[in-house]
Amino acid sequence: MSVTGTRPAGRPRSERAEKAIVDATLDLIGEGASVSELSIEAVAARAGVGKTTIYRRWANKEELVGDALATLKAPLPVVAGRTVREDLVAYLDVMRQDSLHVRTRCIMNIAMSDQERHPRLYERFHQTAIEPRRAAMRAVLERGVATGELRADLDVELAMGMLTGTMLWYTKAASHGGALPSPDLASRIVDEALRGFRSAQA
Amino acid sequence: MSVTGTRPAGRPRSERAEKAIVDATLDLIGEGASVSELSIEAVAARAGVGKTTIYRRWANKEELVGDALATLKAPLPVVAGRTVREDLVAYLDVMRQDSLHVRTRCIMNIAMSDQERHPRLYERFHQTAIEPRRAAMRAVLERGVATGELRADLDVELAMGMLTGTMLWYTKAASHGGALPSPDLASRIVDEALRGFRSAQA
């Protein structure tokens, strides 16, 4: 996406405005605004642009918020080719690191909780941010099954749910005032899960 | 709690009013109101009582919502004494069944997502609804470790996170438009997890 791309000096004014609008949107959500409460007026005021500048780029609030949320997801680490364990730890640790940022947590809550009211927003967020990560983790597990490192009868979807769900459980608890996930949490989850996932001969 | 207790006919008027107020609160949240949007006025109007009737019983909105949410949690099944597997499946299946009710899902979203704004509400909900369930599951796992059915070095907190987190991952996906969790989901999660949790001799 152009809003996250780096460019040499001379970035056109429209691109600077776009970045200011996305930042303003994230700021307001990070300060606690729900999607329903967020107004294009408030975003425009915060970004120092006119409403028409926003409407030139985004048809409505949901699309703006969806694009803004998508810029927050750290790119997935490049992991293909190492052991299943290392790859899974790397992916889960991205989730842990994301959860340490208050703004990200605030915004993830929005993305998840406002879905019943803003289905298009959730759909967009799902496609741009969640599904690529799921596909990457699925590929690691399927590779493990193919090489025999993991059980031939492993239910890959269930395994993904166990790994991701456990990390979410801890990061969610942290966002509700519990302890922050410890730096080794990803490896502890993966090691515990792999006890069951590994094939007998691995 | 008196609001959930059953009593013979002749229930006093104050108790009927209390139930009407709790029901009105749950209705409004179930229809999509966030805690911020919910007003005592609206609850009073829906329940057919005066605002003073509400304030006689609850000091503020957070306490009312906290009590209302707590009434929604199904009581835990009585399971002590059977196998670890059966007990865990029973507990996880309560989570799955809870998730099938739209009103419960809507309300759980509120309880989880509004925590940053309404910490007292979340604290109350946590103490009355979440912590007793966690304690029950912890007891099952600790019993399994004590009897040797589970590994002596099992990290019980991590094991709880895996079981609960995996079920939450599926119920959350369902509430976001994904497939409903299949009736055998609890047993599939427990069987997969126990592959790793069991002691070698069990």
Side-chain angles (χ1 to χ4, degrees), chain A residues 54-162:
Chain A
I54 298 181
Y55 283 120
R56 257 202 299 276
R57 171 70 180 79
W58 290 279
N60 56 53
K61 187 166 67 171
E62 279 76 12
E63 292 193 8
L64 168 58
V65 175
D67 276 357
L69 294 179
T71 67
L72 283 179
K73 281 286 185 186
L76 284 172
V78 177
V79 296
R82 298 191 292 184
T83 63
V84 166
R85 179 185 182 281
E86 274 181 276
D87 290 2
L88 293 178
V89 170
Y91 284 143
L92 283 194
D93 204 51
V94 171
M95 291 178 63
R96 181 188 66 84
Q97 289 172 32
D98 279 355
S99 76
L100 299 177
H101 304 287
V102 173
R103 199 165 86 155
T104 314
R105 283 198 272 116
C106 223
I107 288 164
M108 284 299 294
N109 278 345
I110 288 287
M112 303 308 278
S113 68
D114 273 6
Q115 187 266 340
E116 312 232 347
R117 291 197 212 180
H118 304 285
R120 277 187 311 177
L121 163 59
Y122 180 76
E123 183 60 29
R124 193 175 179 82
F125 181 70
H126 190 90
Q127 283 177 2
T128 56
I130 297 182
E131 195 44 54
R133 291 185 166 202
R134 279 200 196 158
M137 182 171 284
R138 189 179 294 117
V140 171
L141 291 167
E142 285 173 347
R143 180 163 55 84
V145 171
T147 62
E149 189 173 348
L150 304 183
R151 280 165 29 227
D153 68 343
L154 180 69
D155 181 335
V156 169
E157 290 298 316
L158 182 62
M160 289 171 59
M162 290 185 75

Side-chain angles (χ1 to χ4, degrees), chain A residues 28-61:
Chain A
L28 291 168
I29 295 175
E31 289 165 15
S34 69
V35 177
S36 305
E37 289 160 350
L38 193 78
S39 71
I40 293 289
E41 284 80 359
V43 172
R46 177 71 68 103
V49 303
K51 283 169 56 177
T52 50
T53 305
I54 298 181
Y55 283 120
R56 257 202 299 276
R57 171 70 180 79
W58 290 279
N60 56 53
K61 187 166 67 171

Side-chain angles (χ1 to χ4, degrees), chain B residues 47-181:
Chain B
V49 303
K51 282 170 58 178
T52 50
T53 305
I54 298 181
Y55 283 119
R56 257 202 300 276
R57 171 69 179 81
W58 290 279
N60 55 56
K61 187 167 68 172
E62 279 77 10
E63 293 193 7
L64 167 58
V65 175
D67 277 357
L69 294 180
T71 66
L72 282 178
K73 282 285 186 186
L76 286 172
V78 177
V79 296
R82 298 191 290 185
T83 63
V84 167
R85 179 185 183 281
E86 273 181 277
D87 290 2
L88 293 177
V89 170
Y91 284 144
L92 284 194
D93 205 50
V94 171
M95 290 177 64
R96 182 189 65 85
Q97 289 172 33
D98 279 355
S99 76
L100 299 178
H101 303 287
V102 173
R103 199 164 84 154
T104 313
R105 283 198 273 117
C106 222
I107 289 165
M108 285 299 294
N109 277 346
I110 288 288
M112 304 308 278
S113 67
D114 273 7
Q115 188 266 340
E116 312 232 346
R117 292 196 209 180
H118 304 285
R120 278 186 310 177
L121 162 60
Y122 180 75
E123 182 60 29
R124 193 177 179 78
F125 181 69
H126 190 92
Q127 283 177 3
T128 56
I130 298 181
E131 195 43 54
R133 290 185 167 202
R134 279 200 195 158
M137 183 172 283
R138 189 180 294 115
V140 171
L141 291 166
E142 286 173 349
R143 181 163 55 85
V145 171
T147 61
E149 190 173 347
L150 304 184
R151 280 163 31 225
D153 69 342
L154 181 68
D155 180 337
V156 169
E157 290 298 317
L158 182 62
M160 288 170 60
M162 290 184 75
L163 293 164
T164 311
T166 310
M167 181 55 85
L168 279 177
W169 194 79
Y170 277 94
T171 58
K172 203 82 181 136
S175 79
H176 290 143
L180 283 183

